Amino acid sequence: MSEVKISAEPRTEFGKGGARRTRRAGKVPAVLYGHGEKPKHIALPSREFAAAIRKGGANQLFAIDITDGTQVLALPKAIQRDPIRDSFEHVDLILVRRGEKVTVEVPVQLTGEAAKDTLIVHDHDTLSVTADATKVPDHLEASIEGLEAGTLVTAGDVELPSGVELAVDSELTVASVTAAPTAEQLEATLPEVEVATEEAEAEVGETTEGSEGADATEGDETTEARTEA
């Protein structure tokens, strides 16, 4: 994966208020740490950072040029997103050096099509691997072409680029191929679903009637009390 050059500036405001002001200014609050150095708080341009992550993924390597004259290489360690705005709230970046080995989680993509009348169950969408910090793959691939029901795809079946090594047991299940349910099996489950639905509706109806009855009783009692008064 090629590195992306990005500018940054030191942050002097901290806490929730400072982070909000940083985001309002069109920047992402971030922290640089690693190699035994004191953590450095910086702000990254939101648009450039988002574009790099969309293209290169969560393991995108950044060449960061800080306005205080510091130039570093870093990998995202943790990214916090706002699920509603789909924006970046905060980023933890870990310092790396060229030639340094790092262990990261890399997405796994399944290629091809399994045998007819089968379903694929994803057990692990990512795998932990060790690679050169400047050569972390954006994804890994494993073929499911023609696989029959009952077959397991393990970490050892995943294709690894040169220089990349597994950091997990090679027998770890990545995906499994199962038999797709038949039409008869699907039909057999329909009565159960219908019964469960009817029972749930009946319970809701009983609860509603009970509430209405209680309200009516309270109303009668109130009327009687007023009459006596």
Side-chain angles (χ1 to χ4, degrees), residues 164-205:
V164 177
E165 300 176 352
L166 282 177
V168 296
D169 189 336
S170 62
E171 296 302 314
L172 177 71
T173 301
V174 174
S176 53
V177 185
T178 63
T182 64
E184 291 76 11
Q185 290 173 327
L186 290 174
E187 289 178 359
T189 61
L190 288 177
E192 297 178 4
V193 174
E194 291 175 354
V195 169
T197 302
E198 290 174 357
E199 290 178 349
E201 291 176 348
E203 290 179 1
V204 172

Side-chain angles (χ1 to χ4, degrees), residues 120-178:
I120 306 300
V121 179
H122 292 260
D123 294 277
H124 289 86
D125 294 328
T126 65
L127 276 183
S128 181
V129 300
T130 301
D132 187 308
T134 62
K135 298 178 181 178
V136 176
D138 59 355
H139 73 281
L140 303 170
E141 295 184 353
S143 175
I144 58 170
E145 184 63 37
L147 296 185
E148 299 288 344
T151 306
L152 297 180
V153 179
T154 66
D157 298 320
V158 176
E159 300 173 16
L160 298 177
S162 176
V164 177
E165 300 176 352
L166 282 177
V168 296
D169 189 336
S170 62
E171 296 302 314
L172 177 71
T173 301
V174 174
S176 53
V177 185
T178 63

Side-chain angles (χ1 to χ4, degrees), residues 30-62:
V31 177
L32 272 171
Y33 63 93
H35 293 161
E37 296 187 15
K38 183 179 178 181
K40 178 174 290 189
H41 298 266
I42 61 174
L44 302 167
S46 297
R47 289 185 179 179
E48 288 85 341
F49 180 78
I53 294 298
R54 280 196 299 269
K55 183 178 180 180
N59 292 317
Q60 174 63 58
L61 178 66
F62 288 95

Side-chain angles (χ1 to χ4, degrees), residues 40-146:
K40 178 174 290 189
H41 298 266
I42 61 174
L44 302 167
S46 297
R47 289 185 179 179
E48 288 85 341
F49 180 78
I53 294 298
R54 280 196 299 269
K55 183 178 180 180
N59 292 317
Q60 174 63 58
L61 178 66
F62 288 95
I64 305 175
D65 186 1
I66 308 174
T67 54
D68 64 3
T70 305
Q71 294 181 329
V72 297
L73 286 177
L75 284 169
K77 183 67 174 178
I79 299 176
Q80 297 177 22
R81 294 177 183 252
D82 184 315
I84 298 176
R85 297 186 180 90
D86 193 27
S87 58
F88 295 96
E89 295 284 287
H90 189 274
V91 182
D92 286 355
L93 297 158
I94 186 167
L95 295 168
V96 296
R97 300 188 180 99
R98 298 187 189 281
E100 177 183 4
K101 292 285 188 177
V102 295
T103 300
V104 294
E105 291 286 328
V106 179
V108 179
Q109 295 180 4
L110 303 179
T111 62
E113 294 185 5
K116 186 179 180 181
D117 298 327
T118 59
L119 293 176
I120 306 300
V121 179
H122 292 260
D123 294 277
H124 289 86
D125 294 328
T126 65
L127 276 183
S128 181
V129 300
T130 301
D132 187 308
T134 62
K135 298 178 181 178
V136 176
D138 59 355
H139 73 281
L140 303 170
E141 295 184 353
S143 175
I144 58 170
E145 184 63 37

